[in-house]
């Protein structure tokens, strides 16, 4: 009999006795008898599950996560599909990472959800998995954990919320929140307008409907090949979203019976295509960290240099906020990701498999674009190169990133004096102090906001511009930090400086008044201070105390890697064998 691990997509189906779950339920022993008896305790008949693929439905729904508030219903649709295909679904509640409410940042807990995903799938009698998520960190966390187990897997994206509305304006969540909050600080709108905006900004279940981190990462999941075609852009409340969930349930049973495992989908070529897609979408800078971490779990080495190399080969074709004009519903009805990828076929690896087709080429065949204002022609790009640039220099020896298509062009080559803030609370307390005498030419510098210093690398990177400059009409300044920023944010924000200041990176040595040079075209970020002076400052620097004395935070600070390597835990990122549990 052929080893199931050697079967490729499109090959023969396995017998029921080859199912992983058979070891729990199908053998003649005390443990198997006990497992069957406890399944009867759950109310299931033998014919409901014996000899059938058992599918884990991992659900990140919760009452506190507005992006996922509809996933309780979508899990039922997935289960409906599994039953129709002859499988047996089991729903597992897993951690919910709510970008809106969880502090200090859900990035602190991405690896915790990844660990939970991995260990649930490994330790229970399941043959395959359907993963339900979408809010920023849940997509990479679920896929990181699933990749480490390597079962047949389908991802069901939560989908974008409906467009926001205010008076006669269409709003994008996040992007317009930042915009109008600055307008309030500038004094151009008041409390009445803000109350109306509060009611109109987020109108339905679903994640942000701009090309923020959520839409970027679910698009990445689709081009990686782990969703059904077009799944990533279906609005969360559209009936098509429920049909997609049910179809995902149908699909996973077929993948289990053909033993199409996640490692056969998540290949080096798939990750290269995901990078090209994220860059051509003008997607979130957060995707850099997450894709590097996801690739590492798949045994694929992906680096910042790969992002910069690929960025120079792809144009930005999606006219989506925050870098463009439209929202995800517009993108969906313009052709969604299949139509979009149809305009990038020359840079994609078309002969690799997906969960839905034997090849990506087959999946994209005939995919139309219905609106070339939203999904641009190659001859009419939004930008000539990918939307994220990787910077190097003495201030970021291990790299930094900037989403330059969302910045004012005048700032993409800039030298100015630094104004340094040692933490975000200090920044909030002092940014509007007239004594700082800030001008539009100053460079705002925030440190101690990285993976260790944040802790968790919060989305502090879109540093606020002082009120008095906003009132003068200033809407962008060069801002530098070891933090991240929301994918819905915009501005000349240099992010993910590595190594971070908290562990002694060069950012820790910057002083107010130092000149800093940013040159995006040259991919340069430089602190204009001579080496001897930097050596003197380093000799005087001492590391700050650890953030955590115990608990998960202590594990986090002991194991977290830096931004350039994906912020995974070192003990999870390394290669090594993990035995499948003995069932009996």
């Amino acid at each position: 009999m052929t080893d199931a691990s050697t079967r490729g997509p499109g090959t023969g189906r396995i017998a029921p006795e080859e199912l992983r779950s058979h070891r729990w339920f199908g053998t003649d022993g005390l443990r198997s008898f006990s497992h069957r008896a406890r399944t009867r305790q759950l109310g299931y008949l033998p014919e409901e599950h014996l000899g059938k693929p058992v599918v884990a439905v991992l659900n990140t729904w919760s009452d506190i996560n507005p992006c996922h508030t509809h996933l309780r219903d979508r899990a039922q649709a997935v289960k409906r599909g599994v039953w129709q295909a002859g499988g047996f679904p089991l729903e597992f509640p897993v951690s919910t990472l709510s970008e809106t409410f969880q502090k200090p940042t859900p990035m602190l807990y991405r690896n915790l959800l990844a660990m939970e995903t991995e260990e649930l799938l490994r330790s229970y009698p399941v043959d395959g998995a359907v993963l339900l998520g979408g809010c920023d960190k849940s997509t990479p966390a679920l896929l990181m954990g699933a990749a480490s187990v390597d079962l047949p897997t389908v991802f069901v994206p939560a989908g974008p919320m409906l467009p926001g509305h205010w008076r006669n304006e269409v709003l994008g969540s996040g992007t317009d929140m930042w915009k109008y909050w600055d307008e309030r600080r500038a004094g151009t709108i008041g409390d009445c307008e803000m109350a109306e905006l509060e009611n109109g900004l987020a109108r339905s279940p679903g994640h942000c409907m701009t090309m923020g981190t959520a839409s970027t990462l679910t698009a990445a999941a689709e081009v990686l090949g782990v969703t059904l075609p077009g799944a990533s852009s279906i609005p969360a409340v559209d009936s098509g979203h429920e049909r997609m969930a049910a179809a995902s349930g149908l699909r996973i049973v077929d993948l289990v019976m053909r033993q199409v495992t996640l490692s056969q989908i998540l290949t080096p070529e798939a990750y290269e295509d995901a990078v090209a897609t994220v860059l051509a979408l003008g997607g979130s800078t957060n995707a850099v960290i997450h894709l590097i971490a996801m690739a590492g779990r798949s045994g694929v080495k992906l680096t910042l240099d790969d992002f910069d190399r690929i960025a120079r080969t792809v144009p930005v074709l999606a006219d989506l906020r925050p870098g463009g004009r439209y929202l995800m519903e517009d993108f969906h009805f313009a052709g969604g990701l299949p139509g979009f990828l149809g305009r990038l076929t020359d840079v994609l690896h078309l002969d690799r498999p997906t969960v839905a087709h034997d090849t990506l080429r087959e999946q994209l065949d005939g995919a139309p674009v219905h609106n070339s204002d939203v999904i641009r022609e190659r001859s009419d790009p939004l930008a000539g190169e990918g939307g994220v640039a990787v910077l190097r220099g003495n201030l970021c020896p291990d790299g930094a990133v900037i989403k330059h298509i969302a910045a004012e062009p005048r700032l993409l080559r800039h030298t100015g004096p630094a104004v340094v803030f040692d933490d975000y609370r200090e920044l909030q307390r002092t940014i509007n102090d007239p004594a700082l005498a800030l001008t539009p030419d100053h460079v705002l510098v925030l440190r101690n906001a990285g993976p260790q210093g944040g802790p968790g690398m919060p989305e502090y990177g879109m540093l606020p511009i002082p009120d008095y400059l906003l009132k003068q009409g200033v809407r962008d300044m060069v801002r530098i930090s070891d933090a991240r920023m929301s994918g819905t944010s915009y501005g000349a924000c240099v992010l993910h400086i590595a190594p971070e200041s908290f562990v002694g990176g060069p950012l820790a040595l910057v002083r107010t008044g130092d000149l800093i040079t940013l040159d995006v075209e040259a991919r340069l970020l430089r602190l204009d201070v001579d080496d001897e002076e930097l050596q003197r400052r380093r000799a005087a620097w001492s590391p700050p105390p650890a953030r955590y004395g115990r608990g998960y935070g202590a594990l986090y600070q002991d194991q977290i890697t830096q931004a350039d390597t994906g912020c995974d835990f070192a003990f999870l990122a390394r290669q090594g064998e993990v035995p499948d549990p003995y069932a009996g």
Side-chain angles (χ1 to χ4, degrees):
M1 186 175 293
T2 305
D3 183 353
S5 65
T6 66
R7 292 188 180 89
T11 58
R13 299 169 72 84
I14 63 172
E17 293 76 20
E18 294 181 85
L19 290 168
R20 183 173 179 268
S21 59
H22 178 80
R23 303 203 306 266
W24 272 262
F25 297 118
T27 61
D28 183 18
L30 174 62
R31 291 293 180 186
S32 193
F33 168 79
S34 173
H35 298 149
R36 292 193 299 270
R38 292 300 186 174
T39 308
R40 303 301 160 265
Q41 180 186 10
L42 290 167
Y44 297 118
L45 296 167
E47 51 267 39
E48 288 188 80
H49 73 98
L50 289 179
K52 296 182 178 181
V54 179
V55 174
V57 181
L58 269 58
N59 193 351
T60 53
W61 169 88
S62 82
D63 278 330
I64 194 65
N65 193 335
C67 306
H68 295 180
T69 191
H70 59 306
L71 291 187
R72 186 154 56 172
D73 293 334
R74 296 300 177 268
Q76 295 306 309
V78 171
K79 288 154 76 170
R80 188 175 79 221
V82 172
W83 282 318
Q84 289 172 338
F88 180 65
L90 294 171
E91 185 176 352
F92 291 77
V94 292
S95 300
T96 190
L97 305 182
S98 173
E99 199 67 35
T100 308
F101 294 107
Q102 195 168 26
K103 306 300 180 187
T105 167
M107 184 63 179
L108 188 70
Y109 302 103
R110 183 200 68 181
N111 297 341
L112 183 62
L113 175 55
M115 291 170 65
E116 183 180 18
T117 299
E118 175 177 351
E119 298 308 324
L120 281 176
L121 294 180
R122 195 186 309 282
S123 60
Y124 278 100
V126 299
D127 302 297
V130 177
L131 315 173
L132 278 68
C135 187
D136 295 12
K137 313 306 177 293
S138 62
T139 300
L142 291 165
L143 288 171
M144 287 163 67
S148 296
V149 183
D150 195 27
L151 296 176
T153 303
V154 175
F155 184 75
V156 172
M161 70 177 88
L162 294 176
H165 282 277
W166 176 60
R167 298 184 178 180
N168 197 35
E169 212 170 312
V170 177
L171 303 176
S173 58
T175 302
D176 283 306
M177 177 186 74
W178 312 118
K179 171 184 171 181
Y180 284 109
W181 188 256
D182 280 353
E183 294 304 321
R184 180 180 183 270
R185 293 172 59 221
T188 61
I189 62 174
D191 291 343
C192 291
E193 291 89 346
M194 292 304 292
E196 293 175 15
L197 283 160
E198 193 173 297
N199 290 325
L201 194 62
R203 298 173 47 236
S204 78
H207 59 66
C208 292
M209 73 307 244
T210 56
M211 187 46 70
T213 304
S215 294
T216 302
L217 267 296
T218 54
E222 183 174 333
V223 73
L224 282 169
V226 297
T227 80
L228 297 189
S232 63
S233 63
I234 304 172
V237 295
D238 193 301
S239 63
H241 195 270
E242 182 163 356
R243 295 193 298 272
M244 176 271 293
S248 298
L250 285 164
R251 172 54 60 181
I252 187 61
V253 175
D254 180 65
L255 294 172
V256 168
M257 296 310 295
R258 292 189 293 117
Q259 283 297 283
V260 181
T261 61
L262 205 49
S263 61
Q264 295 167 12
I265 306 298
L266 296 180
T267 61
E269 294 79 14
Y271 281 106
E272 284 217 353
D273 289 352
V275 172
T277 301
V278 163
L279 293 167
L281 285 167
S284 168
T285 49
N286 289 305
V288 178
I289 293 175
H290 296 312
L291 281 172
I292 288 173
M294 291 161 64
R297 294 296 191 94
S298 299
V300 174
K301 186 171 179 56
L302 190 64
T303 69
L304 289 178
D305 291 337
D306 293 317
F307 278 85
D308 201 53
R309 169 179 58 82
I310 295 171
R312 297 172 188 272
T313 68
V314 295
V316 178
L317 298 182
D319 195 347
L320 297 172
R321 300 184 203 183
R325 297 173 291 171
Y326 295 99
L327 296 174
M328 286 302 298
E329 188 171 20
D330 304 308
F331 181 76
H332 179 66
F333 291 112
L337 203 69
F340 179 83
L341 295 177
R343 293 190 166 170
L344 290 173
T345 52
D346 59 310
V347 300
L348 300 176
H349 298 84
L350 297 174
D351 294 322
R352 60 182 179 84
T354 72
V355 297
H357 291 90
D358 288 338
T359 65
L360 181 62
R361 184 188 309 277
E362 179 185 348
Q363 182 161 310
L364 299 181
D365 185 37
V369 173
H370 304 295
N371 187 334
S372 291
D373 288 336
V374 180
I375 301 174
R376 299 284 193 96
E377 299 276 3
R378 289 292 287 269
S379 59
D380 182 34
L382 192 70
E385 289 188 354
V388 174
V390 175
L391 307 175
R392 302 280 184 179
N394 68 346
L395 196 49
C396 54
D398 293 336
V401 301
I402 183 172
K403 188 173 181 176
H404 53 294
I405 65 164
E408 290 188 7
R410 65 181 177 84
L411 296 172
L412 299 183
R413 181 178 293 166
H414 179 82
T415 298
V419 177
V420 179
F421 302 91
D422 279 322
D423 61 57
Y424 194 67
R425 292 181 186 182
E426 178 196 352
L427 170 70
Q428 290 177 306
R429 285 194 309 268
T430 61
I431 190 65
N432 291 315
D433 186 349
L436 290 178
L438 293 173
T439 72
D441 291 330
H442 276 93
V443 176
L444 304 181
V445 176
L446 173 67
R447 55 187 171 213
N448 296 316
Q452 296 243 15
M457 208 178 180
E459 293 182 341
Y460 293 161
M462 188 180 172
L463 280 60
I465 295 170
D467 290 357
Y468 55 85
L469 290 182
L470 290 171
K471 291 174 182 177
Q472 296 171 25
V474 177
R475 293 296 182 270
D476 201 3
M477 296 174 68
V478 174
R479 290 159 275 181
I480 294 175
S481 73
D482 44 16
R484 299 175 301 109
M485 78 175 184
S486 167
T488 66
S489 301
Y490 51 86
C493 301
V494 178
L495 310 158
H496 308 182
I497 286 183
E500 64 175 308
S501 56
F502 197 84
V503 300
L507 193 65
L509 310 180
V510 182
R511 294 179 180 174
T512 293
D514 291 346
L515 291 179
I516 293 176
T517 295
L518 167 67
D519 187 336
V520 173
E521 184 177 356
R523 299 298 197 262
L524 174 68
L525 181 67
R526 184 181 67 233
L527 177 62
D528 295 328
V529 175
D530 65 62
D531 291 342
E532 289 186 6
E533 172 61 19
L534 290 178
Q535 288 175 5
R536 284 192 291 271
R537 294 182 189 182
R538 178 163 298 285
W541 181 82
S542 58
R547 298 291 197 197
Y548 293 96
R550 60 164 302 281
Y552 172 75
L555 171 67
Y556 174 93
Q557 68 192 13
D558 182 60
Q559 291 291 328
I560 195 67
T561 64
Q562 289 291 298
D564 61 303
T565 54
C567 295
D568 201 356
F569 286 166
F571 76 94
L572 295 173
R574 66 177 179 241
Q575 298 300 302
E577 293 298 318
V578 179
D580 223 19
Y582 176 59

